[in-house]
């Protein structure tokens, strides 16, 4: 509870409750994280704990019995959850963030949306959207999916392969992007596990080994016409973004990596305060070069958290500005991810050679935070977006001066 009371970003009693629940869950997950990382296994028991704690309904509207968490509240929950197990936090983050997007965009058919929200609250249902593919890479780069949707009587037949399908071992339903051939556009479809749906267990990675991000296989999977969720308006180019909220819900990604870095920082600071080599009169925390590293960790962490939570607060309060906030949202992600990598690196320098041991959590955290470099948006895309905005602002300023 002390960490909650001393956290300047926990502002009220509701947020204290959200943070406390995540802290309790994180303590459980931390006990299992090393084994699942070593085995590359999916932590089914963690998701049962999340279900029992009501966490899965975090962003479901109150109308359906959910908590209707704001973006800011979701980040508080996710950051603290990641202190226990980054893989679990990132995986469930895709669920709670997509449910937040659904609530904001309201693009689903009303009955399908209501039924799904109730199933989250009552049965602990989960969801994720699958858009990445082996041949097209990240949908954020604009690639056209090879997964096809062919019209048939009463609906569509979907065929293709999706990669990075986080949560797939525990999902009974998900959304999928596919190219609708006779419309020449991308559609988004609500798919239930059943005939034609398969999993190719390809996920064997350096970090984030417990997200269950295997390949999803679709072979002539039937989706009723009423469970196509992108509608028939527009050209479908934003379908790969998953009911776009202009990128706000994607801040669950940097929150996760900052949570991992938070745990690494805590471990290193405790180690420095307790470790007393025989050559020194006191703990290594008293050494100037160790204090320098601890101070640098704090600098990185405070800077990244301040940016993340200030952007989330503005996004919550000013919905009319969300479309113009993409550069800030992207910046919050890149700053947080790179700060997390730097923090874990500093933590390992403080602990020394023993930080490489699998008996300590730092080497896992070191591998996990690097995965953030490959989550959207990518650093180069954010830099280009900031540059374009700066150039456009200067042009407008010149025109006004004229």
């Amino acid at each position: 509870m002390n960490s909650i009371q001393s956290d300047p970003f926990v502002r009220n009693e509701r947020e204290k409750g959200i943070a406390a629940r995540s802290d309790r869950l994180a303590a459980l997950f931390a006990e299992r994280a090393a084994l699942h990382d070593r085995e590359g296994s999916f932590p089914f028991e963690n998701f049962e704990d999340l279900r029992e704690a009501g966490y899965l309904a975090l962003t479901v509207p109150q109308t359906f019995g959910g908590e209707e968490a704001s973006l800011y509240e979701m980040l508080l929950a996710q950051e603290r959850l990641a202190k226990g197990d980054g893989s679990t936090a990132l995986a469930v983050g895709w669920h709670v963030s997509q449910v937040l997007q659904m609530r904001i965009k309201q693009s689903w058919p009303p009955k399908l949306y209501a039924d799904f929200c109730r199933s989250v609250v009552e049965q602990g249902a989960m969801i994720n959207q699958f858009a990445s593919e082996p041949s097209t890479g990240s949908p954020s780069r604009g690639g056209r999916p090879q997964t096809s949707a062919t019209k048939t009587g009463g609906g569509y037949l979907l065929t293709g392969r999706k990669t990075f399908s986080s949560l797939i071992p525990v999902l009974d339903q998900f959304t999928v992007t596919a190219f609708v051939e006779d419309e020449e556009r991308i559609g988004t479809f609500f798919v239930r596990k059943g005939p034609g749906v398969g999993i190719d267990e390809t996920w064997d990675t350096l970090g984030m080994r417990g997200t269950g991000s295997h390949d999803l296989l679709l072979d002539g999977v039937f989706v009723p016409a009423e469970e196509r969720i992108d509608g028939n308006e527009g050209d479908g180019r934003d379908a790969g973004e998953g009911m776009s909220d202009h990128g706000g819900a994607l801040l669950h990604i940097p929150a996760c990596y900052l949570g991992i870095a938070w745990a690494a920082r805590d471990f290193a600071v405790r180690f420095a305060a307790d470790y007393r080599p025989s050559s020194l009169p006191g703990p290594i925390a008293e050494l100037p070069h160790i204090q320098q590293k601890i101070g640098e960790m704090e600098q990185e962490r405070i800077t990244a958290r301040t940016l993340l939570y200030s952007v989330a607060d503005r996004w919550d309060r000013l919905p009319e500005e969300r479309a113009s906030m993409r550069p800030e949202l992207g910046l919050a992600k890149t700053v947080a991810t790179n700060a997390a990598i730097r923090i874990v690196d500093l933590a390992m320098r403080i602990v020394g050679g023993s930080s490489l041991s699998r008996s300590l959590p730092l080497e896992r955290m070191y591998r996990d935070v690097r995965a953030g470099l490959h989550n959207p948006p990518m650093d180069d895309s954010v830099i280009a977006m900031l540059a374009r905005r700066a150039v456009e602002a200067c042009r407008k300023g010149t025109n006004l001066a004229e």
Side-chain angles (χ1 to χ4, degrees), residues 39-215:
E39 295 178 345
S41 54
F42 189 80
F44 289 98
E45 66 273 42
N46 289 358
F47 285 85
E48 187 58 37
D49 289 336
L50 289 163
R51 187 174 286 112
E52 291 178 1
Y55 191 93
L56 302 178
L58 178 68
T59 50
V60 173
Q62 291 181 350
T63 305
F64 301 109
E67 296 181 23
E68 200 165 328
S70 65
L71 175 61
Y72 189 104
E73 292 168 337
M74 184 185 80
L75 301 187
L76 275 179
Q78 284 293 116
E79 184 188 19
R80 288 174 174 273
L81 202 67
K83 291 173 67 181
D85 182 5
S87 288
T88 295
L90 186 64
V92 77
W94 293 112
H95 161 73
V96 295
S97 65
Q98 185 168 351
V99 174
L100 176 64
Q101 289 178 320
M102 291 159 56
R103 193 180 84 211
I104 292 162
K105 188 67 174 177
Q106 290 293 310
S107 62
W108 281 39
K111 185 179 185 305
L112 183 64
Y113 177 66
D115 289 346
F116 174 72
C117 286
R118 291 190 184 98
S119 70
V120 175
V121 174
E122 296 168 9
Q123 290 120 37
M126 286 184 287
I127 198 165
N128 195 3
Q129 173 150 302
F130 303 134
S132 296
E133 298 187 358
S135 60
T136 58
S138 171
S140 66
R141 299 292 190 182
R144 193 187 98 171
Q146 296 298 302
T147 299
S148 64
T150 305
K151 285 189 176 179
T152 187
Y156 303 83
L157 294 177
L158 271 59
T159 298
R161 175 186 286 259
K162 296 293 184 179
T163 58
F164 303 115
S165 304
S166 299
L167 279 179
I168 194 61
V170 77
L171 294 182
D172 292 321
Q173 60 278 306
F174 39 86
T175 59
V176 168
T177 57
F179 192 72
V180 187
E181 296 289 347
D182 60 350
E183 297 178 9
E184 287 293 310
R185 68 188 298 270
I186 301 171
T188 305
F189 302 85
F190 181 81
V191 181
R192 306 169 197 271
K193 271 188 180 173
V197 175
I199 300 174
D200 186 3
E201 295 191 357
T202 55
W203 192 245
D204 185 13
T205 54
L206 176 74
M208 289 296 182
R209 291 173 52 77
T211 60
S213 304
H214 304 298
D215 284 10

Side-chain angles (χ1 to χ4, degrees), residues 258-299:
L258 284 177
I260 298 170
W262 186 348
R265 169 260 203 182
D266 285 356
F267 184 92
V269 172
R270 284 194 298 268
F271 178 90
D274 295 339
Y275 182 48
R276 297 170 178 261
S278 59
S279 58
L280 295 177
I284 64 170
E286 296 175 359
L287 298 174
H289 75 279
I290 297 296
Q291 292 180 356
Q292 174 73 22
K293 291 179 177 62
I294 293 173
E296 289 176 10
M297 286 196 300
E298 291 302 274
Q299 175 179 277

Side-chain angles (χ1 to χ4, degrees), residues 287-337:
L287 298 174
H289 75 279
I290 297 296
Q291 292 180 356
Q292 174 73 22
K293 291 179 177 62
I294 293 173
E296 289 176 10
M297 286 196 300
E298 291 302 274
Q299 175 179 277
E300 294 280 1
R301 180 170 169 268
I302 293 169
T303 299
R305 293 189 85 214
T306 299
L307 176 60
L308 179 67
Y309 285 107
S310 64
V311 169
D313 177 64
R314 182 180 161 203
W315 189 92
D316 282 332
R317 290 186 295 104
L318 303 171
E320 69 279 4
E321 293 188 9
R322 288 173 184 170
S324 66
M325 287 183 66
R326 280 185 178 269
E328 283 87 354
L329 294 164
L331 182 62
K333 185 267 177 178
T334 60
V335 167
T337 300

Side-chain angles (χ1 to χ4, degrees), residues 217-397:
L217 308 179
L218 303 167
D219 184 11
V221 178
F222 178 72
V223 177
E226 61 271 19
E227 295 187 359
R228 178 175 176 179
I229 62 175
D230 61 294
N232 295 305
E233 301 82 13
D235 60 8
R237 285 179 295 181
D238 68 345
E241 298 177 4
M243 295 79 69
S244 175
D245 62 351
H246 303 293
L250 285 178
L251 290 187
H252 82 91
I253 296 170
C256 174
Y257 293 108
L258 284 177
I260 298 170
W262 186 348
R265 169 260 203 182
D266 285 356
F267 184 92
V269 172
R270 284 194 298 268
F271 178 90
D274 295 339
Y275 182 48
R276 297 170 178 261
S278 59
S279 58
L280 295 177
I284 64 170
E286 296 175 359
L287 298 174
H289 75 279
I290 297 296
Q291 292 180 356
Q292 174 73 22
K293 291 179 177 62
I294 293 173
E296 289 176 10
M297 286 196 300
E298 291 302 274
Q299 175 179 277
E300 294 280 1
R301 180 170 169 268
I302 293 169
T303 299
R305 293 189 85 214
T306 299
L307 176 60
L308 179 67
Y309 285 107
S310 64
V311 169
D313 177 64
R314 182 180 161 203
W315 189 92
D316 282 332
R317 290 186 295 104
L318 303 171
E320 69 279 4
E321 293 188 9
R322 288 173 184 170
S324 66
M325 287 183 66
R326 280 185 178 269
E328 283 87 354
L329 294 164
L331 182 62
K333 185 267 177 178
T334 60
V335 167
T337 300
N338 286 287
I341 291 171
R342 175 67 173 152
I343 290 166
V344 179
D345 178 73
L346 286 164
M348 295 184 77
R349 291 171 187 265
I350 291 168
V351 174
S354 60
S355 67
L356 299 174
S357 172
R358 285 194 170 186
S359 65
L360 300 183
L362 289 180
E363 63 87 26
R364 181 183 76 251
M365 295 170 180
Y366 180 82
R367 289 183 284 105
D368 281 351
V369 290
R370 293 202 63 82
L373 297 173
H374 307 285
N375 290 136
M378 310 307 178
D379 287 11
D380 63 313
S381 297
V382 173
I383 295 299
M385 187 164 42
L386 290 167
R388 287 193 299 270
R389 189 175 70 171
V391 170
E392 184 63 26
C394 286
R395 285 174 177 166
K396 288 181 179 178

